[in-house]
Amino acid sequence: MTRWAILFALAGLTAAGPATAADDGATIYKRCAACHLANGAGVPGAFPPLKSDVRALAGSAAGRRYLALVVIRGVSGPITVEGKAYRGMMPAQAGLNDAQIAAVLNHVVRGGSAKAFTAREIAGYRAGSAALNSAAVGRLQPSVAGK
Ligand code: HEC
């Protein structure tokens, strides 16, 4: 890949143009994998798994809003994921547009029964969220039944 190709690939992450490879959920997930690992298993005590709890959260309105805001605003604990406490900090994933956030969340919850996230839905959660910091997002985490 030439330097220009790399620059265009990076620009594609922020451009709101027609769907490209950069809008593919699996491609976008690569930035999440740095912490949550490629298979979403996470690192106990540091980076939570993006597995059963996230799939359960995608099944409720409050959970869906929380998942979107985690990506848009970042999150800091205390939060509980699959029964374990996390008190770290996830930075806001800046530069992702609403369609890209919908795509990456659909990639993360794939295989679950929740309906797909759409760009329009994410835009609704983004509206009015600018005042929320990562700790405020953490307090929005709904508890998952059976935890
Ligand atoms: C720099 C590391 C890092 C990156 C990159 C990152 N995360 Fe996180 N993520 C975290 C940490 C740390 C937490 C837990 C925060 C805490 O300890 O309070 C977290 C929490 C979460 C949660 C909350 C899970 C739950 O059950 O409440 C979700 C969802 C999530 N991340 C999704 C993503 C997605 C999707 C991406 C990519 C777009 C991403 N993360 C990128 C570090 C990261």
Side-chain angles (χ1 to χ4, degrees):
M1 214 197 275
T2 68
R3 218 171 285 176
W4 283 113
I6 293 167
L7 281 176
F8 283 125
L10 288 172
L13 283 174
T14 51
T20 64
D23 289 324
D24 172 69
T27 303
I28 298 164
Y29 183 77
K30 286 181 184 160
R31 64 192 276 163
C32 321
C35 296
H36 295 284
L37 303 192
N39 63 3
V43 177
F47 305 119
L50 303 181
K51 298 269 189 194
S52 59
D53 272 17
V54 169
R55 273 187 211 116
L57 289 167
S60 76
R64 294 171 77 86
R65 175 168 182 252
Y66 165 75
L67 291 175
L69 291 176
V70 163
V71 178
I72 295 168
R73 305 298 305 165
V75 65
S76 52
I79 59 172
T80 304
V81 185
E82 293 185 20
K84 291 197 180 64
Y86 289 84
R87 289 186 177 74
M89 150 82 181
M90 169 174 154
Q93 298 299 295
L96 293 179
N97 66 29
D98 297 334
Q100 290 167 328
I101 291 172
V104 79
L105 287 177
N106 287 332
H107 175 77
V108 167
V109 304
R110 70 197 180 284
S113 56
K115 65 178 179 174
F117 287 89
T118 64
R120 192 191 170 96
E121 179 185 4
I122 303 296
Y125 301 137
R126 189 192 290 275
S129 73
L132 293 176
N133 61 21
S134 59
V137 174
R139 287 192 292 273
L140 291 176
Q141 187 200 41
S143 64
V144 171
K147 199 154 72 172

